[in-house]
Amino acid sequence: MSTNQQPDPRDRPARLTVGVVGAGRVGPALAASLQLAGHRPVAASGISDTSRRRAALMLPDVPLMPPAEVLQRADLVLLTVPDDTLPGLVAGLAETGAVRPGQMLVHTSGRYGARVLDPALRAGALPLALHPAMTFTGTPVDVQRLAGCSFGVTAPEELRLAAEALVIEMGGEPEWIAEEKRPLYHAALALGANHLVTLVAQSMELLREAGVEAPDRMLGPLLGAALDNALRSGDAALTGPVARGDAGTVAAHVAELQRHAPQTVAGYLAMARATADRALAHGLLKPELAEDLLGVLADGTEGSDGPKGRQGTDGTDGTDGTDGTDGTDGNDGNDEDDGNTGSAR
């Protein structure tokens, strides 16, 4: 067995001093990852008590100070603030002379590319957009999750290699995103990650209402398999009453949701329509079954006081006049300092 040991990163000379502006969920985790790669966090800023506690946990012994002072101390500055705050922050730092020539400014917004850092670029900074496609908890587990995490990278061409190198040092996988594609890229991640959390939370609430004692245990294997199938097979993984064209079952669903959880009806109908469209386009939903199904979904928008159809076989009124069935298919909040939840942002 080899006796060679890898040197402790703490024994290597630090290559860059690192500062964090916005000690929310993302910034401290990225700074801690850079520290493991041999860089040295030297300063952070945070407003809320939560962010200050998080910085103390993730970056012990790193002092907290105003943003301008963070920039004075650091060669590499992570701007991990909410998307809507970022343009004003960059402009303010540039106008007050806080930005130094040659300083690397890295923001983690999914929405913006490198152009949002133009005021700092004019002051001589090196602008990088590095967005981790990951949901963050604000705890040390986030550092481990960065291993293999994809980062949306946007930077001037001459800084591309530097940007990708930083991502690799944090354990991530760089994925180049063109400046003009950043909003679309971000919308795609929000559609998948943010909406998934909402759907799962609603599903758990409904299962509790139905008497299930451990909805998380019930959903875990099902959702895990569904996600794996979707990533492997795309639309071919679609299953359930909408993809099958079971209009009666969908009618029963809508009626029950209107009765027990009316706040979920709009989301159910919207996702069912989208599912029906994709199932039709890929030949999974038979056109002759789609008409009744789409009728159910249209009638559902009229709400619980809308017209009802004939009574279904399970005693539930079919909202579109078709027979209902009782069959089932077998199958980064953040504090104000940091609006980033990785793919959620």
Side-chain angles (χ1 to χ4, degrees), residues 220-304:
L222 174 64
L223 299 185
L227 176 60
D228 184 64
N229 290 343
L231 293 175
R232 291 174 182 270
S233 305
D235 288 301
L238 282 172
T239 185
V242 173
R244 289 194 304 267
D246 290 343
T249 297
V250 174
H253 289 177
V254 174
E256 285 299 293
L257 293 177
Q258 288 173 338
R259 184 174 297 116
H260 295 286
Q263 73 278 7
T264 67
V265 172
Y268 179 96
L269 292 171
M271 290 305 299
R273 291 191 196 97
T275 300
D277 288 343
R278 299 189 76 88
L280 266 172
H282 289 80
L284 301 174
L285 174 59
K286 296 179 181 179
E288 60 268 26
L289 299 177
E291 184 175 355
D292 283 347
L293 175 65
L294 295 175
V296 169
L297 300 178
D299 288 347
T301 61
E302 299 180 25
S304 57

Side-chain angles (χ1 to χ4, degrees), residues 298-333:
D299 288 347
T301 61
E302 299 180 25
S304 57
D305 294 330
K308 297 181 180 180
R310 300 191 303 273
Q311 189 178 51
T313 57
D314 64 346
T316 301
D317 288 337
T319 59
D320 67 341
T322 60
D323 288 342
T325 69
D326 60 356
T328 59
D329 183 44
N331 296 302
D332 80 118

Side-chain angles (χ1 to χ4, degrees), residues 111-123:
R111 170 186 173 187
Y112 292 109
R115 287 178 191 156
V116 71
L117 298 172
D118 277 354
L121 174 64
R122 290 191 289 270

Side-chain angles (χ1 to χ4, degrees), residues 14 24 40 69 95 106 138-139 172-173 175 185 188 194 213 244 276 319 324 338 340:
R40 184 164 60 93
E69 294 183 27
E95 290 172 1
V106 177
T139 65
E173 296 287 341
E175 185 73 38
Y185 153 81
N194 295 170
E213 293 185 0
R244 289 194 304 267
T319 59
D338 184 5
N340 286 286

Side-chain angles (χ1 to χ4, degrees), residues 14 18 22 92 109 131 214 218 240 261 271:
V18 179
S109 166
H131 175 252
M218 177 176 283
M271 290 305 299

